[in-house]
Amino acid sequence: QTEAPEFGKGLLNIVGKDSTWSMKLATRMQFLTSTTWDQNSNNKWVDPHSIALVRRARFKFDGFAYSPKLTYKIELGLSNRDMSGASEYTSNAPRYILDAVVMWNFYQNFELWIGQTKLPGNIDRVISSGNLQQVDRSLLNSRFTLDRETGLQIRHHFFLHNKFLIREKFAISQGEGRNVTNGNIGGAQFTGRLELLPFGEFTNGGEYKGGDLVHEEMPKLMLSATYDHNKDAVKTRSNQGTYMVNDIGFHKTDINTLFFDTMFKYRGFSFMGEYAHRNAKDPIAKNADGSLTGDIVQIGDGINLQSGYLFRKNWEVSGRYTNISLDEDITGNRPENQYTLGLSKYIVGHKLKIQTDLSYLSVNGGTDELMYRLQFDIHF
Amino acid sequence: QTEAPEFGKGLLNIVGKDSTWSMKLATRMQFLTSTTWDQNSNNKWVDPHSIALVRRARFKFDGFAYSPKLTYKIELGLSNRDMSGASEYTSNAPRYILDAVVMWNFYQNFELWIGQTKLPGNIDRVISSGNLQQVDRSLLNSRFTLDRETGLQIRHHFFLHNKFLIREKFAISQGEGRNVTNGNIGGAQFTGRLELLPFGEFTNGGEYKGGDLVHEEMPKLMLSATYDHNKDAVKTRSNQGTYMVNDIGFHKTDINTLFFDTMFKYRGFSFMGEYAHRNAKDPIAKNADGSLTGDIVQIGDGINLQSGYLFRKNWEVSGRYTNISLDEDITGNRPENQYTLGLSKYIVGHKLKIQTDLSYLSVNGGTDELMYRLQFDIHF
Amino acid sequence: QTEAPEFGKGLLNIVGKDSTWSMKLATRMQFLTSTTWDQNSNNKWVDPHSIALVRRARFKFDGFAYSPKLTYKIELGLSNRDMSGASEYTSNAPRYILDAVVMWNFYQNFELWIGQTKLPGNIDRVISSGNLQQVDRSLLNSRFTLDRETGLQIRHHFFLHNKFLIREKFAISQGEGRNVTNGNIGGAQFTGRLELLPFGEFTNGGEYKGGDLVHEEMPKLMLSATYDHNKDAVKTRSNQGTYMVNDIGFHKTDINTLFFDTMFKYRGFSFMGEYAHRNAKDPIAKNADGSLTGDIVQIGDGINLQSGYLFRKNWEVSGRYTNISLDEDITGNRPENQYTLGLSKYIVGHKLKIQTDLSYLSVNGGTDELMYRLQFDIHF
């Protein structure tokens, strides 16, 4: 049968005849306006650059098929920003499919995932873009994220002791990002992630949601680490960034990415912390004769610390500090510090909300930048 | 609950649990064949060029969310013509989203619109492409339309006296058209429209539908005017046309567009009239040193007069006269006159119809053109 | 009303109020991994090239509108491979729409089709990509298929004698493939197909499904022939391949394509055979002065023989032999033979299945190739 749930819980919940399958349909939109200013030599904010757009618009389908042990998820991106990134590597077609993955609970606490979906990477990325605490993810994410891949994942969890939950996630992927159609160019990518939840799962999966909207009665904590090895990677940010084309094809090198991250929530207070480190065997792309192509693997470190408190009537104030320290000798990029102050009004949780934030970006010896953003979210 | 309405009224009407939201899903398709001939020096029609295509294919979602005062509309274009126009300004992704807008009735007769949707421009554009009287819109529309924008709109209406309805619509937009992702380049665009309906609203919103399919018992009239000021516009037709790129970025100039339009319907008879005028502060695009880039703002005037009568069994005969007189000194374009004779068979109103028309285009001192079109429309 | 059928029979069956229309929604996904090896001069398999991708992801809508005699079908492709092929001829937009066709049973056994859909071409193509016996179609299909077109089709069937069913299908098309928006360049394309089913229709439309999954109790046979004449064709494989651009526009020549094909099924055994032949009036593309442009119409012959047997528990073993013999003098292409061994496990018929195959491609005097593929299919 077909059921229309309450606002924010999906458009339709369909259960097939004889309960042979189910599907939940959902959709969401984000409307963003943003203005940035550069700081000139007189410490004045100048050259405002503004933008207003449908930032994200998504359809999501999930449920089970044939057996409750066989579940699936499809997520489609409709906005121009969602679909951007068409290239010769994606058949010059828009990257419309975000997730298309089948998950099979083949044995006890083990799940096998097949298809395209997010890798078990840094927590800020794995949190859905509809459940963020601030308008958008941090600079750490844009520099270090592993985003989505096509391949296999094995996921397992068990209880170490009482409530102490441990999750293990492993992935083997192509290593060049999502929606690639021309095949694997470099080697494969291997990802492992370990999650420790000493006080058990957060309420309603809150370990992967921004802000403590449910006012956790008891302290909840997740400590996690991801290690990713991209063998013979051909892009400047492991499986992200640009292809390192050279005169004989591609510059290939092993790239490793490490994340430590944590989420803590208690009575409206939330804290999220991330540390990222990337290195590469040979970060400077070369042609066959050793001459440089100009591409550089973006190696270095990043820190992102974010915290918020949910006041009455679902107003939340949040702060974020992000430091990006790429290897200056290799990449030529100077250290950046960004400070963000955010304000959110959750009308119906993350499903209907208005978020605004102000960011100050300080670039060592470079041009500082101020950014103001206002975003409206609606999710069915 | 979920309800499947009768043909032409949508696919599904969904009302969420506890009436917390609603959604109506609809879809439609248009199949077009068209042939054009040029007139040669012997006054013979030669060089036929034909085309057959899925002209439009759309999904539409609308309803309310959380509160009946908060409504929304999403419209997606699926056909290649619907999605065309990908460029570096749209992340090189197809322009899949037509409308994505949230409307909030925040106070009495006031509505705030946020997102991307049609500007309150000329009537022929605002009429849905599924509700047109002839196969497609006029040349006036293709030369002067303001189409869609991202931004804000404020809409208000009141009754001056008895049935005399007045509507006021204001918009602030980016000013470069729909689905732009790289931000606002020039200044902002400001649009105001006033609509006078001395005998009240048309039946079933007929002021924005082609033809008098409901046989209005009493005369109905709308008189309206739109004024649009695009400050520091960077495209050749205000927020439409091509970007006026020059050696230091973009040629920027203020562009004003004015429309007067009217709709009248009475007992099967309908008349639609439009006048358009566009001017620009500096219509000739230049580089920094004053040399010309070749781009010209399409300034000038247009008139479109269209009328039809609905016979028995829902056959309609319609005629259209369009005159385009761009400023010949500036744009180099000669005046054009187009005469169109249309025939429509409305099987289920605009929802299932066949339309055909024959157009004769007379270009002063240029090549005349004959065009025959046949279109089939189906809307769920 | 709205009904959710059992797994594999669609997502929703909607019947409009007063039974004025119906719509069946369905979706499906295919996940493919594939690895190919080249044979080097020492007869070793080297240079493995692998790929993992969402091969196909589709939405399908069909039903009737207004009258049960007026039916329609829409199929959309979501994956990058589905949408690929954007060009200046398709408004540089992705080819998102696969089918958009309206079918009108206007008189007795006659149907008129309007829109874009598959031509009545070779059987392997007309079988849905979700109902194939092996992982993908043969080389004959990739070289000779007529795929989809925009235009008209007339379809008729009658019983010659008792169960002996005869179907006739005629099509007039633009002749340049699907999703073309810039109009007809060459002349029109004419297609005729005759199908003889001496023992009547196969169970559940099995003449256009791979494998004998229903274990036909009585032998079932279809013998068919297609003749296609593409007048003034401008692409290298009739309406497929690349445009033959020359210095004055396009090289135009008449291209004929002939298919004979057959399907036989009996008690789990199935056999499909196809023969293809293509010729052209002037297969070598030239400029106005007679100099060669480099484009060549791919003329020649192809044979595809495929057979399978369905064992207990819905395991099927299948074999395929394909020979492609293009005209070597004209095209410069050497004959190719491909041998494929396939294994399928149909968990819920074609709706939930795993298929794998191993192909050996032997190129006369060229590099031989080995290909291993594994595919998972899920259809709602």
Side-chain angles (χ1 to χ4, degrees), chain C residues 334-348:
Chain C
R334 288 156 166 167
E336 297 172 303
N337 287 285
Q338 192 178 47
Y339 307 85
T340 301
L341 182 68
L343 180 68
S344 297
K345 167 62 178 174
Y346 301 102
I347 303 165
V348 185

Side-chain angles (χ1 to χ4, degrees), chain A residues 2-12 25 27-29 31-32 48-54 56-57 59 77-81 83-86 92-94 96 347-348 352 376 378 380, chain B residues 1-2 12 14-18 20-23 61 64-66 70 72-74 76 90-97 99-102 114-116 150-151 174 179-185:
Chain A
T2 308
E3 200 183 82
E6 60 184 300
F7 177 73
K9 307 271 186 186
L11 289 172
L12 282 180
L25 282 78
T27 188
R28 62 191 170 89
M29 284 184 283
F31 301 93
L32 171 68
H49 182 76
S50 69
I51 183 168
L53 80 166
V54 181
R56 293 183 182 94
F59 281 121
L78 314 180
S79 81
N80 283 60
R81 281 278 290 268
M83 297 190 292
S84 65
N92 288 307
Y96 188 43
I347 303 165
V348 185
L352 188 68
F376 175 71
I378 183 164
F380 293 87
Chain B
Q1 81 277 27
T2 308
L12 282 180
I14 311 174
V15 178
K17 202 176 163 187
D18 306 326
T20 45
W21 60 279
S22 75
M23 182 174 283
F61 309 81
F64 74 86
Y66 182 56
L70 190 66
Y72 63 90
K73 182 191 170 187
I74 310 172
L76 306 174
T90 65
S91 295
N92 289 308
R95 305 193 304 162
Y96 186 45
I97 295 176
D99 297 289
V101 61
V102 173
I114 300 173
Q116 177 176 293
T150 306
Q174 290 205 118
N179 298 63
V180 170
T181 54
N182 70 328
N184 192 14
I185 294 176

Side-chain angles (χ1 to χ4, degrees), chain B residues 2 4-7 10-12 27 29 31 49-54 57 59 78-81 83-86 94 96 347-348 352 376 378 380, chain C residues 2 14-17 20-21 23 61 65-66 70 72 74 76 90-91 93-97 100-102 114-115 150 174 179-184:
Chain B
T2 308
E6 60 184 301
F7 177 72
L11 289 172
L12 282 180
T27 186
M29 284 183 283
F31 301 95
H49 181 74
S50 69
I51 182 168
L53 79 166
V54 181
F59 280 120
L78 314 180
S79 81
N80 283 60
R81 281 278 289 269
M83 298 189 291
S84 65
Y96 186 45
I347 303 165
V348 185
L352 187 69
F376 175 72
I378 184 164
F380 293 88
Chain C
T2 309
I14 310 174
V15 178
K17 202 176 162 188
T20 46
W21 60 278
M23 182 174 283
F61 309 81
Y66 181 57
L70 190 66
Y72 64 90
I74 310 172
L76 306 173
T90 65
S91 295
R95 304 194 306 161
Y96 186 43
I97 295 177
V101 61
V102 173
I114 299 173
T150 305
Q174 290 205 120
N179 299 62
V180 170
T181 55
N182 69 330
N184 191 14

Side-chain angles (χ1 to χ4, degrees), chain B residues 304-339:
Chain B
N304 182 46
L305 306 173
Q306 184 173 327
S307 184
Y309 184 75
L310 188 80
F311 292 90
R312 281 195 299 180
K313 301 203 170 178
N314 293 309
W315 286 93
E316 189 187 48
V317 174
S318 60
R320 181 163 72 191
Y321 165 70
T322 311
N323 170 274
I324 304 294
S325 298
L326 297 184
D327 185 317
E328 204 171 335
D329 294 343
I330 301 286
T331 68
N333 285 309
R334 289 156 167 168
E336 297 172 303
N337 288 285
Q338 193 177 47
Y339 307 85

